[in-house]
């Protein structure tokens, strides 16, 4: 597998419970390396822009409210097969369906407050990374 980069976000439900370090540790233990990281409090405009792909979905309003309720940690992860690896470590979107040992099984409160987000494809990763980081912020 090739070394690649992916986008990862620790959502407000997790940052408010002071889980940033525990979640990042699980990612690092899985062989992913943090090459960029910052804590941001999304504005409504930023949340709507980041999640624009979902704007016509019934959960969009609730998603924006959830994501603007507190700070998030946005990160770029690097490693072999980073996109798939990150998604495996995160676990299923619904924590009830997530495998034991995954971030969502251990930390998520619900489907909506599921603690983390991660890119699902190379194109998405590139878009999401560019949304939050300039090239000079990626330090590998």
């Amino acid at each position: 597998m090739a070394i690649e980069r992916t986008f990862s976000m620790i959502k407000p439900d997790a940052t408010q419970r002071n889980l940033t370090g525990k979640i990042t540790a699980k990612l690092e233990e899985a062989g992913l390396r943090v090459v960029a990281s910052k804590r941001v409090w999304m504005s409504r405009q930023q949340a709507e822009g980041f999640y624009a792909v979902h704007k016509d979905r019934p959960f969009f309003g609730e998603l924006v409210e959830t994501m603007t309720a507190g700070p998030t940690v946005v990160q770029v992860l690097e490693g072999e097969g980073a996109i798939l690896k990150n998604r495996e470590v995160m676990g299923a979107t619904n924590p009830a369906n997530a495998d034991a040992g995954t971030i969502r099984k251990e930390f998520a409160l619900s489907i909506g407050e599921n603690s983390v987000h991660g890119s699902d494809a190379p194109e998405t990763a590139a878009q999401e990374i560019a949304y939050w980081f300039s090239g000079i912020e990626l330090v590998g």
Side-chain angles (χ1 to χ4, degrees):
M1 254 188 201
I3 299 293
E4 61 186 6
R5 288 182 173 170
T6 191
F7 178 79
S8 173
M9 180 189 303
I10 302 173
K11 295 180 178 181
D13 70 275
T15 63
Q16 291 170 341
R17 290 179 290 140
N18 206 29
L19 297 173
T20 301
K22 289 179 181 177
I23 290 171
T24 301
K26 287 184 93 47
L27 297 167
E28 290 178 333
E29 287 165 7
L32 297 167
R33 189 164 55 106
V34 177
V35 296
S37 180
K38 59 186 166 185
R39 190 175 180 95
V40 299
W41 195 314
M42 278 190 215
S43 68
R44 174 169 293 286
Q45 182 179 5
Q46 287 172 316
E48 288 174 349
F50 185 76
Y51 288 106
V53 67
H54 299 302
K55 70 179 179 220
D56 295 327
R57 310 273 306 264
F59 60 82
F60 182 71
E62 182 182 345
L63 176 61
V64 170
E65 290 301 317
T66 298
M67 296 309 297
T68 58
T72 64
V73 174
V74 293
Q75 299 179 319
V76 179
L77 307 175
E78 183 179 81
E80 260 190 55
I83 295 167
L84 182 58
K85 172 101 48 186
N86 183 42
R87 295 190 67 76
E88 289 171 355
V89 174
M90 287 190 312
T93 302
N94 183 345
N97 299 333
D99 290 337
T102 63
I103 292 168
R104 288 178 173 147
K105 189 64 159 186
E106 290 187 23
F107 303 123
L109 300 173
S110 65
I111 293 174
E113 292 181 309
N114 61 16
S115 301
V116 289
H117 164 87
S119 301
D120 60 1
E123 301 78 23
T124 311
Q127 292 169 348
E128 292 178 340
I129 290 168
Y131 193 87
W132 294 107
F133 296 94
S134 70
I136 62 171
E137 292 178 292
L138 306 177
V139 182

